[in-house]
Amino acid sequence: NAGNNSQYNSPSRTRDARAESQLMEKINVLQKEFAEIDVDHNTYINREELFSYLDRRSGKEFDRNIANEIFDHMDKNHDNRITVNEFIKVYIEADEILRKKIDTAKVNREYYRKQQEDCLKKAEEARMNERQTAYGISQNSIVHIVVIEARQLKTSGFTNTINPFVEVSMDGQ
């Protein structure tokens, strides 16, 4: 019997009991919220009741396109009524989706913070190791030049081939 007690009080059972308690609390709150929206107390919410509720909560006329989308999403069996079970189910599903997105955002934020930190560190290392010429140009720099047009190229040598070259000068250098 003592073994059963220790199993009953295991950390996972405590977590499960706490999660179940929180879920029951949430369901009670949602049932009260449902009752507030269901102003005629006929055990379902119609579009007008939802619109009225959303208008009251937002302090102005809530966007009807969004309100219709919300209603259609909550009305799982498409009977133009939202039951308390549909209301609670959709809310809990949305809450779980939101919680997962928040967790993912936190992980991504930390990942990108570390990436930024690494990039700043590498940039600082590069700046510290960079050597410049007397003209302020980094040694071992590569300049990429694209010749768009060439005029009056002259042939050279015995083969009469054109051997163009480009001379680059830097202003004031």
Side-chain angles (χ1 to χ4, degrees):
N1 200 8
N4 287 344
N5 273 347
S6 67
Q7 184 182 15
Y8 181 75
N9 293 326
S10 72
S12 65
R13 287 197 182 261
T14 303
R15 265 193 310 276
D16 291 345
R18 187 171 52 241
E20 187 173 334
S21 172
Q22 289 173 341
L23 178 61
M24 293 308 295
E25 237 178 87
K26 190 177 291 185
I27 288 172
N28 286 334
V29 169
L30 291 170
Q31 286 172 331
K32 289 176 186 173
E33 191 83 11
F34 182 89
E36 182 184 334
I37 300 169
D38 181 21
V39 292
D40 61 7
H41 306 292
N42 60 359
T43 69
Y44 65 85
I45 298 171
N46 60 37
R47 284 185 196 275
E48 292 73 31
E49 288 173 320
L50 181 65
F51 293 173
S52 177
Y53 173 77
L54 293 171
D55 291 347
R56 283 193 316 271
R57 290 295 295 243
S58 67
K60 61 181 179 180
E61 184 173 303
F62 194 85
D63 183 299
R64 290 303 184 246
N65 290 329
I66 295 173
N68 276 311
E69 283 184 41
I70 291 169
F71 187 91
D72 291 341
H73 185 73
M74 292 182 115
D75 182 18
K76 293 295 187 185
N77 63 359
H78 310 292
D79 63 354
N80 285 318
R81 299 175 177 189
I82 300 170
T83 64
V84 68
N85 289 336
E86 289 173 320
F87 182 79
I88 290 170
K89 183 178 182 199
V90 168
Y91 183 89
I92 290 174
E93 287 171 356
D95 191 52
E96 185 60 29
I97 289 168
L98 184 59
R99 186 178 329 284
K100 286 178 181 177
K101 287 186 178 203
I102 289 170
D103 290 344
T104 299
K106 286 178 181 176
V107 168
N108 288 342
R109 182 185 66 199
E110 182 59 21
Y111 172 77
Y112 290 121
R113 186 194 64 73
K114 285 182 181 177
Q115 270 194 328
Q116 178 188 28
E117 198 175 275
D118 289 346
C119 287
L120 291 172
K121 184 178 177 183
K122 287 177 184 177
E124 180 61 22
E125 287 173 7
R127 191 183 67 73
M128 296 299 287
N129 294 327
E130 183 178 63
R131 292 191 181 95
Q132 295 186 342
T133 66
Y135 301 112
I137 299 172
S138 295
Q139 287 183 349
N140 301 322
S141 293
I142 297 174
V143 176
H144 181 79
I145 299 174
V146 176
V147 177
I148 297 174
E149 183 178 330
R151 295 186 187 161
Q152 300 175 351
L153 298 175
K154 297 185 175 31
T155 59
S156 66
F158 296 110
T159 60
N160 285 334
T161 60
I162 298 173
N163 190 7
F165 67 94
V166 175
E167 184 176 314
V168 177
S169 66
M170 306 298 267
D171 290 341
Q173 305 288 325

